[in-house]
Amino acid sequence: MPVMDRLKKISGTAAIVGVAESDEIGRTPDKGPLELHAEAGRNALADAGIDKSEVDGVFTAGYSTYDVAEYMGIKPHFTDSTSVGGSSFVIHIAHALAAIQAGYCEVALITHGQTGRSDRARAGGNPGLPSAQYETPYGIIGPPVSYSMACRRYMHQYGEDKTREAMANIAISTRKWANKNPRAFFYDTPMTFDEYHDSRWISWPFHLPDCCLVTDAGAAIVITSTERARSTKKGAVRILGAAEGHDHSLLHQMPDLTMPFGRNTGPQALEMAGITHSDLDLAMIYDSFTYTVLVTLESLGFCKPGEGADFVADQRTAPGGDFPLNTSGGGLSYTHPGMYGIFTVVEAVRQLRGETGERQIDDCKLAMAHGTGGLLASTGTVILGRD
Amino acid sequence: MPVMDRLKAISGTAAIVGVAEADEIGRVPDKGPLELHAEAGRNALADAGIDKSEVDGVFTAGYSTFDTAEYMGITPHFTDSTSVGGSSFVIHIAHAMAAIQAGYCEVALITHGESGRSNRARASGNPGLAGAQYEAPYGIMGAPIGYSMACRRYMHQYGEDRTREAMANIAISTRKWANKNPRAFFYDTPMTFDEYHDSRWVSWPFHLPDCCLVTDAGAAIVITSAERAKSTKKGAVRILGVAEGHDHSVLHQMPDLTRTWGRHTGPQALEMAGITHSDLDLAMIYDSFTYTVLVTLESLGFCKPGEGADFVANQRTAPGGDFPLNTSGGGLSYTHPGMYGIFTVVEAVRQLRGETGERQLDECKLAMAHGTGGTLSSTGTVILARD
Amino acid sequence: MADGYNKPIPIPQPESDHYWEGAKAGELRLRHCDDCNQAFFYPRNICPECGNNNTSWIVASGKAKVHTFAIVHRPPHPGFMDDIPYVPAIVELEEGPKMATQLVNVTPEPEAIQIDMPVKVVFESITDEISLPKFEPA
C-alpha cells in the first residue's frame, strides 16, 4: 500500500509550469497524431518559457516515447510510456513527480496527440487478449457499450429516474461551460433538457449526449522541480497530491460496476496534499460519459454511494453553481480525441492561473484533476495548487 | 540532465528481493504469453517469500498492466507499462526505485512473458510510424537487418577482420557459458570457431550465430524498500545505480551507428553507485547480436571506441576468463523471446546470490545489467550489489 | 504497377502526402527548416531541431553516398522471398539528411559495394499511388 509518510515528503516538490493544446483541436484532417504531439509539446514549452533542449524526461501514451521524442528532436534521459487509456496523462504527473524527486530528470514533458476523428487507419486488435475472446464476440466492443452496461447496474441499485436525472444534469451543465469556451466543439451549440431527453440512443441507457465527442486534438504539460519552476514564464502550479491504480481490465471483471478505483486514489491524493474535499475550488473529472462523472464523484468521496444524483441536482455544477465541474466543457462538449485525461489537467492549470476568460471561476487556488482509463478501470487523481 | 546529488541520495534505498523465470522456457506452445507472465510473477514472489496480496506496484511491457494485473489477480496502486523494447524491464527497475522512494508503492512486481517462438498471431503495425513508411518498404524490417547495417558501418570505421574476430569471440564465449546452464536453449550444443565461420548468412555481415535465439519465455522481478527487504526469504540485492534514455527510434535517425545511448547510462549508473568499471565482478550485457555486445562495451566505457575487439580477445569473456560476460548464455545461447532485458537482471541477481551452480563466479559482489531496446535505441543500465 | 505486389506498402500520412506525391512524380522531396537553414528527413511540419513551423519543401538532387548497408539472406517478410539476397541501405543525401532505402542494380556481394560509394535515386512504381525512392550506383 502507498506509504503516506513518504508521499507527504514529496508533496509539492515539483510543479506544472507549462500547459497547452495543439494549434488546432476538433477536426484536423491535415495533421497526423505525432504532429499534434509535437505542436502541443512546443506550445507547452513556450508557455513555460523553457527551451526544448532542457527537456530530459519524456512521457506519453498511445505512441512510444521513441516515436514522440524522435519526432520532436528530443533525446531523453528518462522515459515513461505507461498507457492505461485516458487516465495515462494524469498518472504521468505522479510518475514525473517521483522521477524529478529521484533526480532522473529535471524537466518532464508530457505530450498527447490523437486524430480520433480523422484517423486514416486503425490498428488491429491483439487476438491474444482476453477481451478478443470473451467480450468482443458478443459485440461488447468500445466504451459506450461497456459503460452503458455499468450504468444499467447503477440504475438497478439506486433507481432509474434518479440516475437519468443526474445524467441529464451533468450533460446540460457541462454544455453550459462549453458555451463559454471558444475552443470547445460545442461552443456555439446550447442544449436544453428536452433536447437531451429526446435525443437518439447510442447504447441504452445512453443517449447521444451521454457520450463524449470524438475529435482530433493534442495537449502537453511541462513539469519541473519547484526550484526550477521559479524561473519559468508563468511560475509554479504545484503538484500537492497524486495517486493511481486499477482493479480490472475487462468490464466483466470489475469488482463493482458502481464503484471505480477512485475510491482509493481520491482519498490518497487528498491526504497526501493535506486537504479535504471541501477545500477544493474546482473538480475536473474525466467525463467519457455522463455516468462516468456520476460514479466517479461518489467513488472519490464527494458524496456517498447512490447520492450522486442529489450532489449534481439543480445545475449545481453549471456556471454560477457552487460546485464548478469540468469548466472547459469536458469530454462531452469541449474535446475528446480518445484519451482525454491530459485535458483535465490543462484546464485545471489554466483556471488556477486565472487564464480562462469568460468561464474563469473566482478565487481558484486548489483543483483536482481526475482521469479514468480503460473500461472504468484505471484512475489517476492529482491535486494542484497555485503558489 | 539527471541530478547526481539526488540520485546518490536514493542509491541503495530499494532492493531486488525475488527473481524467476516461467516454469518452462524455450519452446512452450501450450502456454500463452500472459500465462508466462503469471508463472514468472508467482515464482518471483515465492523466491522473495512475499505474498501476492502485498504487491502494490505492477510493471510490464508488451502488455498493459491492465492485462497482466487482472490475469494475476493483483490490484495495483502504481502502474508502469513503459515500453522501449528489450530494455523495458531494466529501466522499470529505475522507475520502481523512484516509486518506492516516493511512497507510491512498497512491493513492485516486474513481469515479462512472450511466446516469441510459438506466437499464434502477430499484431499489425501502425502505418503512421516512420518505420512503416521509410524503412519497411525497403525490406528493412526486424532487428537482424537494422543491426547488421549498423555493424557494417562499424567494420568500415574499425576494420572488417578485427570486427569479425570480436563477433566470433563473443558468440563462442557466450555459447560456452550456455553449456553450463541447464535451462539454456543450447545447453547441449557446443560451437567451434570453424562452425561459427562456416555458418549461413542471415543478413550479411551477420552469420546465424551472430543473432539471438527466438524462444518462448517469461521472467519476473520483485523489488521492495531496503527496509522491507530485510524480512524476505533471500534478502536484498540492492539497487545502487540506474540510468536510462534513448536518442532515436528508427535506424536511419541514429546519430552514430557505432555508439549507443549506453555512453550516458553507463557512466551515470556507475557514478550514482559510487564505483568504477573495474569494481564490477560481472557484466550482463544485452546480446541481441554479437555486434550489440561489442558496441555496447565500448559505449559503456569498458574500453575506447574501436577497442572492443581487443577487449574481448582470446576468450577473455568465457568461463575461466578474467571478464565474465553474459554467464547465463545470453540472448545468443540461453533464451531470447523478443524483449530479453529482464533476463540480464535475473542472472545478475542469481550470480550475486551464488545460486548458479556450475557457472557460479567466485566472489560476485557487484554486477551490471544492461538492456538495449528498439534498434540500438533505448538503453537501461543498473548496478546491483549483494548486501 | 507491379501485379501482386505483396511487400509492405507505405500508407501516406498528413505529413507525408507531399513526399509520396513527389516520389510518384519522380522527385525526392525533403523538408527544409528555413530558420535552421537545413534539410531534414523524414517529413515533419515542425523542425526536429528548433521546433519551429517555419518549414518548406525542397527537391533533393537525388545524389547520395552509401552510409551503410547489409545483404539479407533470410527474408523478414514473405513478400521478400523472391528478392533475397537484397541490399537494404542507409544513404547520406547531398543535402545532409540520411534516409533508409534499398540499393538496386548492384551485385549483392560484400565486395561489390563500398561505404561512401556515390549513388543516385531511382523510383520504383509499386502501386498507382506509391513509388519508392531507391538508389543505384551513380
Side-chain angles (χ1 to χ4, degrees):
Chain A
M1 290 291 291
V3 184
M4 194 46 69
D5 288 350
R6 292 188 179 177
L7 291 173
K8 285 191 171 169
K9 272 190 211 146
I10 65 165
S11 171
T13 59
I16 297 175
V17 293
V19 292
E21 297 143 327
S22 51
D23 293 352
E24 303 162 72
I25 64 171
R27 190 164 178 278
T28 60
D30 299 335
K31 290 177 182 173
L34 281 171
E35 186 169 0
L36 298 174
H37 276 269
E39 279 185 2
R42 182 198 54 202
N43 296 344
L45 287 166
D47 190 58
I50 288 183
D51 192 76
K52 181 162 72 75
S53 61
E54 266 200 73
V55 175
D56 51 0
V58 171
F59 297 68
T60 196
Y63 282 85
S64 85
T65 55
Y66 284 145
D67 304 312
V68 171
E70 179 177 280
Y71 195 100
M72 296 185 67
I74 293 170
K75 296 178 170 50
H77 290 257
F78 187 86
T79 63
D80 194 317
S81 55
T82 300
S83 184
V84 280
S87 64
S88 303
F89 312 89
V90 179
I91 73 164
H92 289 164
I93 292 174
H95 292 206
L97 177 66
I100 289 167
Q101 179 59 18
Y104 295 142
C105 63
E106 284 178 286
V107 177
L109 178 65
I110 304 171
T111 66
H112 163 277
Q114 280 180 294
T115 46
R117 205 167 183 88
S118 304
D119 257 355
R120 294 196 193 178
R122 298 195 180 268
N126 177 349
L129 292 179
S131 59
Q133 293 176 72
Y134 309 118
E135 293 199 342
T136 308
Y138 303 105
I140 303 173
I141 301 170
V145 178
S146 296
Y147 279 71
S148 61
M149 290 166 71
C151 179
R152 178 62 188 83
R153 179 73 201 177
Y154 183 98
M155 286 178 160
H156 168 75
Q157 287 181 211
Y158 301 116
E160 183 173 336
D161 292 349
K162 222 171 121 80
T163 310
R164 175 64 63 196
E165 196 186 330
M167 291 159 71
N169 261 312
I170 291 165
I172 303 296
S173 73
T174 309
R175 181 64 61 91
K176 288 179 186 164
W177 284 113
N179 296 153
K180 292 172 176 289
N181 180 0
R183 301 206 76 175
F185 198 85
F186 281 136
Y187 176 53
D188 291 324
T189 316
M191 180 170 59
T192 66
F193 277 90
D194 283 348
E195 282 166 342
Y196 169 85
H197 289 292
D198 294 343
S199 62
R200 66 186 171 92
W201 298 116
I202 296 297
S203 173
W204 185 89
F206 284 173
H207 283 287
L208 180 62
D210 287 311
C211 305
C212 62
L213 295 159
V214 180
T215 61
D216 304 328
I221 299 170
V222 183
I223 297 175
T224 191
S225 63
T226 45
E227 212 175 290
R228 174 71 184 82
R230 287 192 200 110
S231 55
T232 58
K233 202 160 98 187
K234 295 182 175 173
V237 167
R238 294 224 270 177
I239 304 161
L240 301 180
E244 63 167 286
H246 54 69
D247 60 5
H248 68 286
S249 175
L250 276 60
L251 186 75
H252 76 264
Q253 299 277 324
M254 186 170 177
D256 178 346
L257 295 174
T258 68
M259 190 43 68
F261 203 78
R263 67 187 183 275
N264 292 309
T265 56
Q268 176 184 325
L270 288 167
E271 189 181 349
M272 178 175 169
I275 66 168
T276 64
H277 295 87
S278 58
D279 294 321
L280 290 167
D281 302 305
L282 169 66
M284 290 298 305
I285 308 290
Y286 197 126
D287 55 341
S288 46
F289 302 95
T290 50
Y291 175 65
T292 315
V293 179
L294 179 63
V295 75
T296 300
L297 286 169
E298 295 179 6
S299 64
L300 290 172
F302 284 100
C303 57
K304 295 205 177 108
E307 293 183 356
D310 301 323
F311 191 81
V312 301
D314 303 321
Q315 290 293 291
R316 212 184 138 223
T317 59
D322 65 357
F323 188 85
L325 175 74
N326 295 340
T327 54
S328 61
L332 294 171
S333 294
Y334 153 59
T335 206
H336 192 295
M339 297 187 288
Y340 157 82
I342 195 166
F343 296 91
T344 64
V345 178
V346 170
E347 175 72 5
V349 169
R350 287 178 173 164
Q351 285 281 0
L352 289 165
R353 287 174 174 173
E355 295 178 337
T356 56
E358 203 195 337
R359 67 185 188 279
Q360 180 64 44
I361 55 181
D362 301 335
D363 217 9
C364 187
K365 285 187 178 150
L366 283 166
M368 171 188 283
H370 177 87
T372 301
L375 303 175
L376 286 167
S378 160
T379 65
T381 310
V382 295
I383 307 294
L384 303 173
R386 183 71 179 143
D387 255 357
Chain B
M1 291 289 293
V3 184
M4 193 48 69
D5 288 351
R6 291 187 179 178
L7 291 173
K8 285 192 171 167
I10 67 164
S11 172
T13 58
I16 297 176
V17 293
V19 292
E21 297 142 325
D23 294 352
E24 301 163 72
I25 63 171
R27 189 165 177 281
V28 196
D30 299 336
K31 292 175 183 173
L34 280 171
E35 188 169 359
L36 297 173
H37 275 270
E39 280 186 2
R42 179 198 56 205
N43 296 345
L45 287 167
D47 189 59
I50 287 182
D51 192 75
K52 181 162 71 75
S53 62
E54 266 200 74
V55 175
D56 50 1
V58 171
F59 297 68
T60 197
Y63 282 87
S64 85
T65 55
F66 284 147
D67 304 313
T68 58
E70 179 177 283
Y71 196 99
M72 292 189 279
I74 292 170
T75 303
H77 289 255
F78 187 86
T79 63
D80 193 319
S81 55
T82 299
S83 185
V84 281
S87 62
S88 303
F89 311 90
V90 179
I91 73 166
H92 289 163
I93 292 173
H95 293 206
M97 185 156 75
I100 289 167
Q101 179 60 15
Y104 293 141
C105 63
E106 284 179 287
V107 178
L109 178 64
I110 304 171
T111 65
H112 163 277
E114 282 180 293
S115 303
R117 205 167 181 88
S118 307
N119 245 354
R120 295 198 191 174
R122 299 195 179 268
S124 54
N126 176 345
L129 295 181
Q133 285 188 84
Y134 308 117
E135 292 198 345
Y138 299 107
I140 302 173
M141 306 169 76
I145 295 172
Y147 281 70
S148 62
M149 290 167 72
C151 179
R152 178 63 187 83
R153 182 73 198 177
Y154 183 96
M155 286 178 162
H156 171 72
Q157 289 182 210
Y158 301 117
E160 183 173 337
D161 292 350
R162 244 173 98 72
T163 309
R164 175 65 62 199
E165 196 186 329
M167 290 159 71
N169 261 313
I170 291 165
I172 303 294
S173 73
T174 309
R175 181 64 62 91
K176 287 179 187 164
W177 283 114
N179 296 152
K180 292 174 176 290
N181 180 359
R183 300 206 78 174
F185 198 85
F186 281 138
Y187 175 53
D188 291 323
T189 315
M191 180 170 59
T192 66
F193 276 89
D194 283 347
E195 282 166 342
Y196 169 83
H197 288 293
D198 293 343
S199 62
R200 67 186 172 89
W201 297 117
V202 171
S203 175
W204 182 90
F206 283 175
H207 284 287
L208 182 62
D210 287 311
C211 305
C212 63
L213 296 158
V214 180
T215 62
D216 303 327
I221 300 171
V222 183
I223 297 175
T224 190
S225 63
E227 211 176 292
R228 174 69 182 85
K230 285 183 200 131
S231 55
T232 58
K233 202 161 98 189
K234 295 182 175 172
V237 166
R238 291 225 272 177
I239 304 161
L240 299 185
V242 293
E244 66 168 281
H246 54 69
D247 60 5
H248 68 285
S249 176
V250 295
L251 183 74
H252 74 267
Q253 298 276 326
M254 186 171 178
D256 178 347
L257 297 175
T258 68
R259 299 286 284 166
T260 74
W261 189 252
R263 66 190 183 277
H264 294 292
T265 56
Q268 177 183 323
L270 288 167
E271 188 181 350
M272 179 175 169
I275 65 168
T276 63
H277 294 88
S278 57
D279 294 323
L280 290 168
D281 302 305
L282 168 66
M284 291 297 305
I285 308 289
Y286 197 125
D287 55 342
S288 45
F289 301 96
T290 50
Y291 174 66
T292 316
V293 179
L294 179 63
V295 72
T296 301
L297 286 169
E298 294 179 6
S299 300
L300 291 171
F302 283 100
C303 57
K304 296 203 179 108
E307 293 183 356
D310 303 322
F311 191 82
V312 301
N314 303 319
Q315 290 294 291
R316 212 184 138 222
T317 59
D322 65 355
F323 189 84
L325 175 74
N326 296 339
T327 54
S328 61
L332 295 171
S333 294
Y334 152 60
T335 207
H336 191 295
M339 297 186 288
Y340 157 83
I342 195 167
F343 295 91
T344 65
V345 178
V346 170
E347 174 71 5
V349 168
R350 287 178 173 164
Q351 284 282 1
L352 290 165
R353 287 175 174 172
E355 294 177 338
T356 57
E358 203 195 336
R359 67 185 189 280
Q360 180 64 44
L361 304 173
D362 307 336
E363 197 75 14
C364 187
K365 286 188 176 150
L366 281 166
M368 171 189 283
H370 178 86
T372 302
T375 309
L376 289 166
S377 315
S378 159
T379 66
T381 310
V382 298
I383 308 293
L384 303 173
R386 184 68 181 146
D387 255 357
Chain C
M1 172 182 168
D3 277 339
Y5 189 85
N6 62 347
K7 298 189 252 289
I9 297 171
I11 300 172
Q13 302 295 309
E15 301 102 313
S16 61
D17 283 336
H18 194 70
Y19 174 81
W20 292 113
E21 285 162 19
K24 188 38 79 180
E27 286 184 354
L28 182 61
R29 295 177 183 169
L30 291 178
R31 273 296 194 177
H32 183 269
C33 177
D34 297 339
D35 286 339
C36 300
N37 193 29
Q38 66 180 25
F40 60 89
F41 188 87
Y42 42 89
R44 280 155 278 187
N45 294 332
I46 295 173
C47 171
E49 188 61 36
C50 70
N52 291 338
N53 263 64
N54 193 15
T55 47
S56 54
W57 287 95
I58 60 169
V59 178
S61 70
K63 292 179 190 163
K65 58 184 185 178
V66 173
H67 185 70
T68 194
F69 66 97
I71 303 169
V72 178
H73 291 262
R74 193 177 65 180
H77 178 283
F80 293 94
M81 196 70 82
D82 296 333
D83 294 4
I84 54 169
Y86 68 93
V87 186
I90 294 175
V91 296
E92 186 178 338
L93 301 171
E94 191 175 54
E95 291 78 9
K98 295 190 196 94
M99 68 179 283
T101 187
Q102 252 180 33
L103 298 185
V104 293
N105 301 323
V106 293
T107 310
E109 303 279 352
E111 306 75 29
I113 305 159
Q114 277 81 46
I115 303 282
D116 292 338
M117 182 171 96
V119 290
K120 64 176 198 291
V121 71
V122 291
F123 294 91
E124 180 188 327
S125 176
I126 61 170
T127 68
D128 291 341
E129 232 196 342
I130 299 290
S131 288
L132 282 182
K134 296 187 174 181
F135 285 78
E136 64 178 14

